[in-house]
């Protein structure tokens, strides 16, 4: 689990620095990261100043993009 997360983070970092990501991908990744840290959509929404439904949608978008790899 930890190794897989590190690989995803490393891949994201590399793509981010190289300018290969769409804004929607950056937002989805960041929402998922904050959601993992806080453990709830409500807490993530407060931290991100977004509606919890938006956070949930972005997290689901991120997870869907990961299952396609």
């Amino acid at each position: 689990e930890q190794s897989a997360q590190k690989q995803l983070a490393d891949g994201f970092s590399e793509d981010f620095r190289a300018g290969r990501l769409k804004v929607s991908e950056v937002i989805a990744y960041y929402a998922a990261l904050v959601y993992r840290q806080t453990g709830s959509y409500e807490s993530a929404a407060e931290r991100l100043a977004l509606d919890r439904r938006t956070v949930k949608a972005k997290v689901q978008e991120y997870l869907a993009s990961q299952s396609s790899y």
Side-chain angles (χ1 to χ4, degrees):
E1 171 78 22
Q2 194 68 284
S3 173
Q5 282 184 347
K6 181 165 176 18
Q7 285 179 327
L8 286 175
D10 289 347
F12 175 84
S13 251
E14 182 180 315
D15 289 344
F16 183 83
R17 283 192 301 272
R20 291 189 289 254
L21 297 172
K22 297 175 186 169
V23 170
S24 61
E25 293 170 321
V26 174
I27 292 170
Y29 177 86
Y30 191 61
L33 174 72
V34 173
Y35 171 71
R36 271 195 304 263
Q37 291 173 347
T38 62
S40 76
Y41 294 117
E42 188 71 34
S43 295
E46 287 176 18
R47 187 182 293 181
L48 297 170
L50 293 171
D51 184 85
R52 67 173 174 72
R53 293 167 294 192
T54 301
V55 173
K56 184 176 182 180
K58 295 302 176 188
V59 170
Q60 290 174 338
E61 183 182 314
Y62 172 76
L63 294 174
S65 75
Q66 295 309 299
S67 66
S68 66
Y69 282 99

